[in-house]
């Protein structure tokens, strides 16, 4: 029997405006993300700059607005000055591999230009100094000085105009090289922010953060007025040390609203510290799945072969797609405070695009980005959803009541067209959603686009690239004031409705 939900829309009440940067991505020097991922000069699929044409085209298709780079843990010992001009491979202490070092700042800026994305550089606040960080801003954005001259000598006559910068990556964590206490962090942030903004006051600056009052209170008290963003991260399912990814659909879906809880805690912290409305959240690394890198904290040899488990496409299925849609819905709901998010990562590992020698596979999460980036709109309308819930248990045995349907109503302010995101989280039961409130009379042509596969564990791979894909149905809606849309189990849809004139 079909479950039933009701979505009441208040079209005259706009909750806020979405920042398109929530559809951003992240790229780290890790495994096959950069080398063999987006950058592969030896590949027959590479363009004249060494970028994989198929990857660039896919990133353009989902209108990637911003790319964060170069890490991640990698950045906390990254010597950016060795990554411009003459290049020498060096030992990467984060992932314990040789870094070829052929992809640096100039290549990253070119990649962003090809994709049409804003570059977002995360600086080294581990072993790096405020001087290194501000020199990096000079290299990218100034017309004068030693570093601008070096950039010109390296072939970039014009400034690279990097607007988004972040001080550090996860420097609160013991795993990070150059980890800091809250007091050390606050001083470093003040000095780095001051110097970076003296070089270019137009930049927007984030700091590595967590939902912790003390960590934020100290940094914001020192440097809050120099900052624009608080950067937070989240991964909700870890691969085991022998490279096995979590499988149970319900276990994974039990976590679908944890990102929203994290957003709310940071929002409260910003409020408590008097920075709500001044700083926004950049959720600049997120994914349901954590990356597989066993022995990360152990000394001795890192087991690189096990990292190949990240490349097994069957690990990424409808649970990933549904979780991703719920994450994006949470950002839309909290558009007053979440201004950027970066899916981690863009290519390979646990990302939305997988590369192989002769092409790419678009994983289920890619299609969710396609739906949201191309069919949801800027204005978030007020709505109230009544939905049944079901019980799901995390692998730790924690029971969660999960709403079966999640929905957000978006509108294009120019045309009045609507894009309603509808996520059915249940693994087996369909749900019909009655949609009310769009005004009496009128009849509208509607299109329902749905990401789905034939089972919760459906996935795409080289020999089955479209097992999960977007299907499109035209619907004729007789009465816009009250109509019903059916959502199949484990599906992500966007209902597009044209405005009635
Ligand atoms: O597992 C990948 C790592 O996750 C990123 O490098 C880091 O920023 C995060 O802890």
């Amino acid at each position: 029997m079909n479950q039933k939900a009701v979505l009441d829309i208040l079209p005259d009440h706009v909750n806020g405006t979405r920042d398109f940067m929530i559809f951003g991505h992240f790229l780290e020097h890790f495994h096959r993300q950069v080398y063999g991922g987006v950058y592969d000069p030896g590949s027959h699929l590479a363009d004249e700059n060494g970028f994989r044409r198929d990857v660039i085209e896919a990133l353009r298709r989902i209108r990637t607005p911003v790319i964060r780079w170069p890490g991640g843990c990698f950045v906390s010992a990254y010597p950016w000055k060795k990554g411009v001009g003459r290049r020498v491979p060096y030992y990467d202490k984060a992932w314990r591999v040789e870094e070829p070092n052929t992809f640096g700042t100039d290549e990253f800026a070119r990649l962003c230009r090809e994709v049409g994305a804003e570059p977002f550089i995360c600086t080294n606040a581990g072993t790096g100094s405020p001087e290194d960080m501000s020199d990096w801003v000079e290299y990218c954005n100034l017309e004068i000085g030693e570093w601008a001259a070096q950039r010109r000598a390296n072939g970039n006559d014009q400034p690279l105009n990097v607007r988004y910068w972040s001080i550090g990556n996860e420097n609160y964590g013991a795993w990070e090289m150059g980890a800091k206490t809250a007091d050390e962090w606050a001083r470093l942030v003040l000095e780095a922010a001051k110097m970076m903004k003296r070089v270019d006051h137009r930049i927007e600056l984030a700091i590595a953060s967590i939902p912790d009052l003390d960590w934020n209170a100290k940094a914001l008290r020192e440097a809050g007025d120099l900052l624009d963003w608080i950067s937070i991260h989240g991964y909700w399912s870890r691969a085991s040390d022998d490279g096995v990814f979590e499988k149970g659909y319900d276990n994974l879906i039990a976590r679908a609203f944890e990102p929203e809880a994290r957003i709310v805690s940071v929002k409260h912290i910003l409020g408590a510290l008097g920075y709500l409305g001044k700083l926004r959240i950049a959720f600049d690394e997120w994914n349901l799945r954590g990356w597989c890198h066993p022995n990360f904290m152990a000394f001795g040899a890192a087991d690189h072969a096990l990292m190949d488990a990240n490349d097994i496409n069957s690990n990424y299925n409808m649970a990933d797609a549904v979780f991703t849609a719920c994450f994006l819905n949470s950002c839309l709901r909290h558009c007053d405070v979440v201004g950027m998010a970066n899916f981690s990562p863009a290519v390979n590992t646990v990302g939305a695009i997988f590369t192989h020698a002769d092409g790419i596979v678009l994983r289920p999460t890619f299609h969710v980005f396609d739906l949201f980036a191309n069919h949801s709109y800027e204005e978030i309308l007020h709505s109230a959803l009544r939905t049944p819930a079901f019980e799901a248990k995390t692998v730790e045995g924690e029971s969660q009541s999960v709403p079966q349907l999640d929905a957000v109503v978006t509108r294009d302010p120019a045309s009045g067209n609507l894009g309603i995101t509808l996520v059915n989280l249940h693994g087996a039961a369909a749900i019909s959603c009655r949609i009310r409130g769009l005004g009496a009379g009128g009849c509208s042509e509607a299109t329902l686009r749905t990401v789905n596969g034939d089972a919760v564990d459906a996935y795409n791979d080289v020999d089955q690239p479209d097992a999960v894909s977007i299907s499109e149905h035209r619907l004729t809606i007789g009465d816009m004031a009250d109509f019903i849309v059916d959502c199949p189990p484990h599906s992500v849809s966007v209902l597009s409705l044209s405005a009635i004139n």
Side-chain angles (χ1 to χ4, degrees):
M1 196 193 69
N2 252 20
Q3 297 293 323
K4 291 186 172 46
V6 180
L7 178 67
D8 282 306
I9 303 176
L10 276 79
D12 294 334
H13 295 258
V14 178
N15 277 354
T17 303
R18 155 205 89 179
D19 194 317
F20 201 74
M21 290 203 302
I22 62 168
F23 302 127
H25 289 263
F26 167 55
L27 193 63
E28 176 161 353
H29 291 239
F30 175 89
H31 203 232
R32 297 194 316 116
Q33 292 180 30
V34 174
Y35 307 106
V38 71
Y39 188 63
D40 200 352
S43 162
H44 68 101
L45 296 171
D47 67 12
E48 67 284 5
N49 295 315
F51 301 128
R52 282 279 296 253
R53 273 182 271 110
D54 46 1
V55 175
I56 301 279
E57 198 219 296
L59 290 171
R60 278 197 198 137
R61 189 166 136 196
I62 51 174
R63 298 167 64 205
T64 302
V66 57
I67 304 176
R68 175 178 182 256
W69 170 86
C73 298
F74 170 81
V75 78
S76 291
Y78 179 55
W80 78 263
K81 290 173 183 169
K82 290 188 185 167
V84 294
R86 194 177 80 87
R87 312 295 173 86
V88 178
Y90 70 91
Y91 183 71
D92 157 20
K93 296 192 183 78
W95 304 118
R96 292 177 278 170
V97 290
E98 183 167 275
E99 161 60 36
N101 206 18
T102 49
F103 187 98
T105 304
D106 293 288
E107 291 74 23
F108 172 61
R110 193 171 305 131
L111 166 73
C112 290
R113 278 200 299 274
E114 287 202 18
V115 171
E118 287 282 343
F120 174 23
I121 293 185
C122 176
T123 60
N124 172 356
T127 62
S129 65
E131 187 174 15
D132 289 328
M133 297 182 220
S134 54
D135 287 350
W136 208 349
V137 181
E138 278 194 46
Y139 184 88
C140 293
N141 290 2
L142 286 201
E143 304 258 19
I144 53 172
E146 177 192 350
W147 291 106
Q150 289 227 21
R151 183 197 66 236
R152 277 195 295 273
N154 295 335
N156 273 312
D157 205 38
Q158 295 304 313
L160 306 175
N161 290 326
V162 179
R163 177 166 170 196
Y164 300 100
W165 294 82
S166 138
I167 301 177
N169 177 75
E170 300 185 356
N171 305 80
Y172 44 80
W175 57 89
E176 202 70 14
M177 284 170 288
K180 307 276 184 285
T181 65
D183 289 309
E184 290 165 345
W185 181 240
R187 287 304 299 173
L188 179 71
V189 165
L190 173 64
E191 294 309 312
K194 195 167 55 188
M195 290 181 74
M196 291 168 84
K197 287 219 164 165
R198 277 199 185 168
V199 172
D200 184 355
H201 67 275
R202 299 162 307 173
I203 64 170
E204 293 197 20
L205 207 44
I207 55 164
S209 184
I210 28 168
D212 177 87
L213 189 58
D214 191 45
W215 181 263
N216 290 298
K218 288 189 165 139
L220 296 191
R221 211 166 282 141
E222 288 280 356
D225 293 344
L226 293 169
L227 303 176
D228 308 277
W229 299 88
I230 284 287
S231 137
I232 57 169
H233 294 171
Y235 300 91
W236 286 269
S237 168
R238 290 269 162 209
S240 73
D241 260 6
D242 43 4
V244 178
F245 282 66
E246 197 179 328
K247 290 204 168 49
Y249 176 85
D250 273 17
N251 299 153
L252 293 159
I253 284 313
R255 305 200 176 280
F257 294 96
E258 288 184 19
E260 186 151 3
R262 196 162 298 182
I263 291 168
V264 171
S265 335
V266 175
K267 195 168 177 172
H268 288 160
I269 289 175
L270 287 175
L273 298 173
Y275 279 93
L276 194 57
K278 295 183 186 151
L279 301 188
R280 287 193 293 164
I281 296 173
F283 217 129
D284 60 15
E285 272 186 47
W286 71 272
N287 195 316
L288 166 63
R289 315 271 182 183
W291 310 358
C292 177
H293 42 67
N295 303 328
F296 176 48
M297 290 290 280
F299 297 109
D303 197 336
H304 294 117
L306 280 171
M307 288 185 191
D308 292 343
N310 289 301
D311 280 348
I312 301 170
N313 285 316
S314 59
N315 286 330
Y316 313 105
N317 53 42
M318 283 312 301
D320 299 75
V322 167
F323 181 94
T324 295
C326 291
F327 181 98
L328 294 174
N329 270 352
S330 301
C331 294
L332 294 175
R333 270 191 286 278
H334 296 277
C335 62
D336 58 326
V337 70
V338 182
M340 190 196 299
N342 305 75
F343 191 63
S344 168
V347 183
N348 291 327
T349 315
V350 303
I353 302 167
F354 166 82
T355 63
H356 58 94
D358 297 313
I360 56 176
V361 171
L362 303 176
R363 290 178 176 153
T365 46
F366 179 91
H367 297 300
V368 175
F369 277 98
D370 189 353
L371 269 194
F372 274 68
N374 289 308
H375 301 288
S376 72
Y377 297 113
E378 207 178 323
E379 277 181 351
I380 312 304
L381 298 191
H382 194 74
S383 62
L385 177 66
R386 185 150 49 83
T387 172
F390 60 99
E391 287 298 308
K393 272 199 175 103
T394 64
V395 275
E396 289 81 28
E398 198 187 314
S399 194
Q400 294 284 347
S401 169
V402 179
Q404 181 171 348
L405 192 73
D406 188 34
V408 175
V409 184
T410 72
R411 181 170 64 192
D412 176 15
S415 63
N417 291 345
L418 297 176
I420 305 178
T421 66
L422 295 159
V423 187
N424 180 357
L425 288 88
H426 202 286
I431 190 161
S432 306
C433 182
R434 171 170 229 139
I435 298 181
R436 303 190 297 204
L438 289 178
C443 158
S444 175
E445 283 288 300
T447 306
L448 185 68
R449 294 182 179 84
T450 301
V451 178
N452 210 347
D454 62 5
V456 288
D457 52 3
Y459 65 94
N460 291 338
D461 213 336
V462 182
D463 57 350
Q464 48 170 53
D466 298 316
V468 175
S469 60
I470 300 181
S471 60
E472 202 171 305
H473 302 281
R474 304 286 290 172
L475 311 175
T476 301
I477 289 170
D479 183 359
M480 283 282 277
D482 190 336
F483 61 95
I484 288 175
V485 175
D486 294 319
C487 304
H490 52 77
S491 67
V492 177
S493 303
V494 175
L495 175 69
S496 304
L497 291 162
S498 21
I500 308 169
N501 297 311

